[in-house]
Amino acid sequence: MRTFLIFISCIFLFPLFSEADVINAEKNTTVIVSSEHNVRVSFGVEKLLKAINQFGAQATLKTISVQQKIPSTKSLIIVTELGDKIIQNQLPEVLKKQTKDIGKEGFSLSYGKDGNLYIIGFDASGALYGCLELAEQIKKSGKIPTQIALTDRPEMVMRGTCIGLQKTDYLPGHDVYEYPYTPETFPWLYDKALWIKYLDMMVDNRYNSLYLWNGHPFSSLVKLKDYPYALEVDEATFKKNEEMYRFLAKEADKRGIWVIQMFYNIIIPKPFADKHGLKTQDRNRPIIPIISDYTRKSIAAFVEKYPNVGLMVALGEAMEGVGQDDIDWFTKTIIPGVKDGLKAAGITEEPPIVLRAHDTDAPAVMKAALPLYKNLYTENKFNGEALTTYEPRGAWAELNKKLATIGSMNISNVHILANLEPFRYGSADFIQKSVQAMNKIYGAKGLHLYPQASYWDWPYTADKTKTRELQIDRDWIWYKEWARYAWNSGRDRNGEINYWGNELANKYGIDLNAGKAILNAYEESGEISPKLLRRYGITDGNRQTLTLGMLMTQLINPYRYGLFTLLYESEAPEGEMIIDYAEKDWKKQSHTGETPLQIAQEVVAHGKKAIASINLATPLVTKDTAEFRRLRNDMYCYDAMANSYAEKVKAALWILRYKYSNDVADLEKALPLLQKSLEYYTNLVKLTENEYLYANSMQTKQRKIPMRGVDKTFITWKEMLPVYTKEFNHFKKSIDSLKVIEPGKVAKVIPYLNAEVKIISPEVESYVLDKNAKVFADTTTKIKEITEQLIGLNALRFSKNEQIKKGTEIKFSTKKAVKLLVGYFNIKDGNTLPPPQLETDASANNYGQSEIKISNAIVVDGFSPLNVHAYSFAAGTHTLNLGKGACLILGFIDDKQELRIFNAGLDGRGKDIDWLFE
């Protein structure tokens, strides 16, 4: 650990000691601690003694109790914290004052005039970190330093890592996030040696918080007198869970680490849901008293049983995201539950409660909560569920700034990393600048770090090895870099190049220059995925797996795939999307900021430099050769991916030009570029086929880009290659057909046919879709324009006012599988129903509804164009609850009827050209 504040003047406060007067590795050394010292001090002293003894010195521990004085002999190491009643009055005043000024988790490490070395922590964690600092210096030099005067403290108050108690797929009978704690589902959870290894990694890197993510952990960890049937595990497993959780909390506390249990709201355990005839989660369900009572009592029992464990609350995703329900649930169920538990345990110190700002109005929630509970934090994503930029701006930056000023502390969450997995990532430069952005742009004072890859497959990586590789082993540099800059983000860049060069040199048995070459390879490759996603992507969320590539239709018609515009507006430098660049180019308008062609050129250059740098080090590597070979292969993977994207984007720009020019020659110019892209992708398949088990660790229906991932399909590059090959071949045929098409020939329109469905909902009117049809029961609003395919469908007419106030509920029965078509207005105004969005709602694709089927399909008086989504239902009786906001229920069609995806073009922005590829 380097120093955050180095007080050089402190050196001159004390006389210089001769080698005979100071502690060194040739002497016996005594370490003094108080008999009332904290467990964190014990842990730090243990590490210090081990470091001293490692170099042949004899280090012994002496404990002094009340009324005892520090021995008058020299060559002692005194370890204490300012609050220690036994030692604090015996400390040199100048050192005591120096430490008082540092603050939480800070420490001073200095010689006194008496010739003794003092490690003084502002608190127990500070003393721990002081011991670790000295131990590290001893390991590097082989001796105890003869002169030292430094003070240090962390920049970020909360520095945490995250582990998901979640899986790559769903458990039978359960929905997203629902994973009881069992040895069958999470065998690693019960591996104490693995936990010790992980916690040691955390304390070595000065992390002070560990977040455990799960949908509803309480039914695995507590039993309730009033709800015994809610327990979701058998008795033997429950006992194991209790024992393991207590073990984890105890071992974490030794290392200065808060365990923080995360949970989603509102999710209830399956036995509880089944008994009361409820769904385990229902986003549009109002707060029900029995669910509130159960949840409050669960939290109370948890806090009473595990008093040194904090909580992290995700109000969004499993309950309606923004509104009074969020505030009520947090202030009337969750906080009272925590207080009940503290009262039952007789504890006055409030454990931390972290409010996840995702999909909720966090400022409004915190305004209501802060008068009730003081130890509150907010947590918000840094770049969504990816890593895209260290220059965040726009609405996202403003929200983070606001969270930093509302009276609690904001934590930046580096989340999921859907654009990085599974390749290795270790750009110290990008990460340092990102932490600086958290501080300077967001005003954040905390870091919450996800694994670099394979979050859903913890503790393993995606590497195809004989024995599954652990993430903490493979991605050591990821954890170390973020932790280093969370402690101090202002370190000198030249010094950092040397620091990381030495770290890599030691790992691979090479010299410093070769270590720097590997660092450069990390940093060049580290620009590729962030730049690709922020300029070409559909979303910052985990429904897109960037390294698997993108379909051409996703590049040329991103709105069809539910484009998440925040990615471009806030999580990227100012610049242009592919479609905007093409339009400006056709109109001969000037371009602004970062452009698609610029990024295509830059990522190719980064890939080339990464390969050159890694190859400089290759012949010199003498240690950990198997891991180095995999790292080197990843550099070639980055290069192939960069080139494949670059060629495809250049092709996309010619294809979009055809949209305006109607000149087939433009398409012909795209063809060789698309072919080159396919060749690079074929090489990427070869580079990954024997190296990786999968590209994406989330292998559920939420994953959509480039292909919908159901039942672990489309998880490898090899699976995607036929898709891209088919796309290329279809494009060639489309060009050929355009050359021979008969002038004036128009494709025949095939209208959708009504399916036989019985509507059970009372007082719901039916009407036929067509021009001039009235769409709401309480207004005179009519259809101005409608795509021909929808004309004739039996739509359902609801009150617009009731939709806005209460939402929309449809009860129906059907004898065969059907699709329900729902129209969402393409505007965000607070009165219209937002379309299904996986970025904020994990259930947004439970019926296959997240993708737009027909873009700009209907124009209604006074509204923006409407997009059509389809909900699939099997035969039977169903109830569909949609959220609050106006929408159109357009009717039912047979599930087998082809529903071709297209842009009807009623927004006036031009024709649909997706047919070139499908």
Side-chain angles (χ1 to χ4, degrees), residues 226-527:
D226 294 342
Y227 303 100
Y229 51 84
L231 188 66
E232 209 161 3
V233 297
D234 60 45
E235 193 64 31
T237 299
F238 178 68
K239 293 294 183 185
K240 284 183 182 178
N241 290 347
E242 282 186 314
E243 196 268 330
M244 280 306 305
Y245 216 83
R246 285 179 173 136
F247 164 82
L248 175 58
K250 180 180 177 182
E251 290 297 327
D253 186 45
K254 277 187 198 175
R255 294 162 175 82
I257 298 166
W258 269 100
V259 175
I260 299 176
Q261 179 65 63
M262 178 269 183
F263 61 104
Y264 287 89
N265 293 273
I266 303 171
I267 295 180
I268 54 178
K270 196 171 189 313
F272 180 92
D274 290 345
K275 182 174 180 64
H276 295 284
L278 300 166
K279 293 180 179 179
T280 54
Q281 50 185 299
D282 183 349
R283 182 177 174 84
N284 298 307
R285 174 172 56 201
I287 295 173
I288 298 173
I290 193 171
I291 294 180
S292 178
D293 185 64
Y294 161 73
T295 304
R296 177 172 176 169
K297 287 174 178 173
S298 294
I299 292 170
F302 179 84
V303 170
E304 182 181 3
K305 183 183 280 191
Y306 309 107
N308 56 338
V309 177
L311 291 172
M312 181 175 182
V313 182
L315 291 176
E317 286 202 65
M319 71 183 292
E320 189 172 3
V322 177
Q324 189 61 39
D325 279 1
D326 282 17
I327 296 171
D328 290 345
W329 188 251
F330 194 67
T331 59
K332 297 180 180 179
T333 295
I334 291 171
I335 289 177
V338 173
K339 286 187 168 184
D340 291 346
L342 292 173
K343 184 178 179 181
I347 297 171
T348 57
E349 182 187 3
E350 294 178 340
I353 301 178
V354 183
L355 172 67
R356 189 183 181 207
H358 175 70
D359 194 30
T360 190
D361 184 353
V365 176
M366 293 300 282
K367 182 179 180 181
L370 280 166
L372 306 175
Y373 198 91
K374 297 306 176 187
N375 198 14
L376 292 176
Y377 301 79
T378 56
E379 178 263 18
N380 205 29
K381 295 173 182 174
F382 177 59
N383 287 166
E385 297 181 344
L387 188 63
T388 58
T389 185
Y390 43 77
E391 298 176 319
R393 60 193 177 92
W396 199 242
E398 291 306 313
L399 173 60
N400 278 279
K401 288 176 185 176
K402 187 173 184 179
L403 291 173
T405 59
I406 58 176
S408 62
M409 196 170 293
N410 192 36
I411 300 167
S412 271
N413 174 209
V414 181
H415 194 89
I416 290 291
L417 294 312
N419 65 327
L420 302 187
E421 70 171 349
F423 307 139
R424 288 156 178 78
Y425 190 93
S427 174
D429 184 41
F430 203 107
I431 289 172
Q432 182 175 13
K433 289 174 179 174
S434 294
V435 180
Q436 288 170 348
M438 292 174 185
N439 275 297
K440 295 175 183 177
I441 299 176
Y442 284 175
K445 289 301 176 187
L447 168 72
H448 177 188
L449 183 69
Y450 263 56
Q452 188 253 299
S454 299
Y455 165 78
W456 304 90
D457 199 16
W458 179 267
Y460 303 114
T461 74
D463 296 84
K464 193 181 286 187
T465 52
K466 287 183 180 179
T467 303
R468 293 294 301 275
E469 190 171 9
L470 293 175
Q471 292 176 29
I472 54 172
D473 290 337
R474 190 197 89 157
D475 299 325
W476 65 276
I477 197 167
W478 171 261
Y479 290 105
K480 197 173 184 69
E481 285 174 344
W482 284 102
R484 182 171 173 81
Y485 300 121
W487 186 275
N488 177 7
S489 66
R491 303 172 193 269
D492 174 68
R493 172 66 178 152
N494 291 328
E496 291 307 286
I497 292 172
N498 284 323
Y499 175 84
W500 293 112
N502 275 312
E503 290 290 307
L504 290 162
N506 291 334
K507 179 172 178 59
Y508 293 113
I510 52 182
D511 62 25
L512 176 59
N513 285 333
K516 289 181 180 180
I518 296 176
L519 174 64
N520 192 60
Y522 267 125
E523 294 189 340
E524 292 291 348
S525 65
E527 295 286 341

Side-chain angles (χ1 to χ4, degrees), residues 126-237:
L128 163 63
Y129 294 149
C131 288
L132 295 180
E133 171 66 29
L134 182 57
E136 286 182 3
Q137 293 201 19
I138 292 169
K139 287 176 185 176
K140 286 178 182 177
S141 65
K143 63 180 181 179
I144 298 171
T146 57
Q147 294 182 21
I148 188 169
L150 68 86
T151 58
D152 204 358
R153 69 177 180 195
E155 212 171 73
M156 292 288 198
V157 174
M158 294 286 274
R159 307 171 305 282
T161 62
C162 151
I163 292 176
L165 280 104
Q166 298 172 6
K167 302 292 289 182
T168 58
D169 50 10
Y170 294 167
L171 295 181
H174 288 79
D175 209 332
V176 62
Y177 304 134
E178 297 175 14
Y179 300 99
Y181 293 178
T182 68
E184 295 75 25
T185 305
F186 302 111
W188 55 264
L189 177 62
Y190 306 88
D191 186 341
K192 291 184 177 180
L194 179 60
W195 276 119
I196 294 297
K197 179 175 181 175
Y198 186 80
L199 293 171
D200 282 347
M201 178 280 292
M202 291 186 69
V203 73
D204 286 346
N205 285 306
R206 313 308 191 257
Y207 287 112
N208 66 0
S209 44
L210 168 61
Y211 299 82
L212 302 178
W213 282 58
N214 185 264
H216 186 79
F218 308 116
S219 57
S220 297
L221 296 170
V222 295
K223 285 193 290 189
L224 302 180
K225 179 181 177 182
D226 294 342
Y227 303 100
Y229 51 84
L231 188 66
E232 209 161 3
V233 297
D234 60 45
E235 193 64 31
T237 299

Side-chain angles (χ1 to χ4, degrees), residues 838-862:
L838 283 164
E839 282 78 10
T840 56
D841 179 7
S843 64
N845 202 43
N846 283 0
Y847 303 97
Q849 76 270 30
S850 67
E851 187 175 64
I852 297 173
K853 299 300 183 183
I854 311 174
S855 306
N856 305 299
I858 300 176
V859 178
V860 174
D861 287 324

